[in-house]
Every structure is written in structure tokens, then in C-alpha cells.
Amino acid sequence: MFLEVEDLVKFYGQGENRNQVLKGISTGVERGEMCVIQGPSGSGKSTFLNCIGGLEIPDSGSIKVDGTQIVGMTPDKLSEYRRDKLGFIFQFYNLVPDLTVRENIEVCEFLSEHPLQADELMETLGIAEIGDKFPAQLSGGQQQRVAIARALIKNPVLLLCDEPTGALDSKTSRSILILLEMINRKYGTTMMIVTHNNAIRKMVDRVIIIRDGEISESSRNAVRVPAAELTDL
């Protein structure tokens, strides 16, 4: 199992305001799988993703990624883990406004010992022609493509996506999902996608539903529906 999570517990707050957000979550994802995480607002799904990404520190439990235990790592080791293993894509693109498209991507390219080739990646994602533009000159879909390229240039083994299509219209959402699907097949990148969109669960290998800090459902799709065929995005 590429990702192994065992009895993950996370609290927020102190004293009377102490609130248990994750209540002993255990699950796993195989290498190269696409996995969707769903659940109501406040259910703990983003906290779960952030714990896997080393952005939140769980109170107890175990998280192994590619055989490496990340719970209990020092801050420096967590930084190395995020640099060497992970790519992040968020609902809001977080591009550096004063850097061009190419420069935004190259900032992360320099962090990796084994980066993907920038020109090939930009061509694959359909942004080769806008390399000299700045974020303010781009549409939302173009900005998200740049954010995806920035995350992928490091050649991560795990891509964490928190509502990657949440700020996009249905047509642009479909194009972004087609890109993620293509990336998964081309590079074998394992993906975990937090989303409220029920249609997306049809295009992935594994679906995890979190309610009130616990996994209420975990299932695998026998057949993945191509992103281009999804409806109700």
C-alpha cells in the first residue's frame, strides 16, 4: 500500500473549546490511484488531507507515504517531505503575481533533484503559448493549469488537490479534470482530491466519504468513467 493511514486523531482548541476533528481514521491508497475524498462541510476532509501533506500535525496515529512515517517528523524533515514527495493544488491558485507563468513554474522546478521538463509539461498542459504572461492576464482556467504545472514540475509521487475545480465553471472544470486524468495515466502520479462534486467520484479508482471525523464509506470503482464523459459538473 502506497499510502497507509492508521487510527488518525486530530483535535483543535483547548479546554472546553477542544474539538475532535478526526476520530481514528484508517484507510489506504495504492500507488498510481486517483482517490476522491468527500463529505459535508466541517466533516474533517481538508484536515485529513492537510495531515497527509504535513501541513497539520495529528495528535496521534500513523501516516506512511511510500514507506516513510511522517507522524513525528521534525519541522525540517517535514519540509523535506513536502519538497521531495508532494505536489499541492488548491481552489485558489496562489500564483506569485509579479512572476510570469514560466517563472511561477520554475520556482518549484529548482526545488527538485529530478524535475519534469518544463517545456514538455507546459505543452502537455496547454500553457506553452502564455509562458511570458502574468497571472492577472490569465483566465481562471489558465491560472489553475499553471498551478497544476507548478505542482507537477517537481515530479511528486503524491498530488494533493483541495477543491481544484471549486472556483471554475463546468466547462473549465471538465478541462482541468481531463488534465488530471491524463497526468495520472502519463506519469503514474497518485492523487487525492477533496471535492464536493459528486460527478468527480465516477472518474477515480477509490472514493472515501468522511462524516463527523470518521470514514462512513470507502469503496473502489470497478471502471473509471472518462472525465470527458462526466455530467453535472
Side-chain angles (χ1 to χ4, degrees), residues 36-39 45 163-171 173-174 177 193-204 207 209 230-233:
V36 149
I37 304 167
Q38 290 190 296
K45 56 188 184 297
E163 296 286 359
T165 63
L168 304 174
D169 60 44
S170 60
K171 181 180 179 180
S173 294
R174 182 174 283 102
L177 294 173
I193 305 169
V194 166
T195 180
H196 282 95
N197 194 316
N198 286 326
I200 296 177
R201 63 189 293 173
K202 300 173 186 176
M203 65 170 279
V204 301
V207 178
I209 309 296
L230 294 179
T231 58
D232 302 324
L233 283 172

Side-chain angles (χ1 to χ4, degrees), residues 111-214:
L111 296 176
S112 175
E113 294 182 1
H114 307 286
L116 298 178
Q117 211 283 325
D119 288 332
E120 177 187 345
L121 183 60
M122 291 174 67
E123 189 69 38
T124 297
L125 295 179
I127 55 175
E129 302 301 319
I130 59 171
D132 293 330
K133 291 190 175 183
F134 292 91
Q137 299 173 292
L138 308 180
S139 69
Q142 288 173 323
Q143 290 188 64
Q144 189 62 294
R145 286 170 184 255
V146 177
I148 292 171
R150 182 182 59 187
L152 288 175
I153 192 69
K154 297 191 303 176
N155 198 14
V157 295
L158 179 60
L159 188 63
L160 303 179
C161 312
D162 197 353
E163 296 286 359
T165 63
L168 304 174
D169 60 44
S170 60
K171 181 180 179 180
T172 308
S173 294
R174 182 174 283 102
S175 71
I176 294 300
L177 294 173
I178 290 170
L179 284 176
L180 291 177
E181 180 183 66
M182 179 270 296
I183 289 160
N184 171 253
R185 297 192 187 282
K186 181 173 182 176
Y187 299 113
T189 308
T190 307
M191 297 184 185
M192 300 191 73
I193 305 169
V194 166
T195 180
H196 282 95
N197 194 316
N198 286 326
I200 296 177
R201 63 189 293 173
K202 300 173 186 176
M203 65 170 279
V204 301
D205 301 287
R206 189 180 300 270
V207 178
I208 296 171
I209 309 296
I210 298 178
R211 296 183 185 278
D212 297 323
E214 300 177 299

Side-chain angles (χ1 to χ4, degrees), residues 9-70:
V9 173
K10 174 66 178 176
F11 289 89
Y12 288 131
Q14 301 291 329
E16 294 181 357
N17 296 320
R18 189 169 169 82
N19 179 38
Q20 188 172 2
V21 180
L22 301 180
K23 304 174 181 177
I25 284 182
S26 297
T27 191
V29 177
E30 297 286 357
R31 184 184 298 274
E33 283 189 333
M34 295 183 77
C35 174
V36 149
I37 304 167
Q38 290 190 296
S41 296
S43 62
K45 56 188 184 297
S46 289
T47 297
F48 176 51
L49 196 74
N50 288 340
C51 286
I52 294 170
L55 302 175
E56 301 266 9
I57 306 301
D59 290 276
S60 63
S62 170
I63 303 172
K64 290 183 179 179
V65 177
D66 201 18
T68 299
Q69 174 63 253
I70 72 166

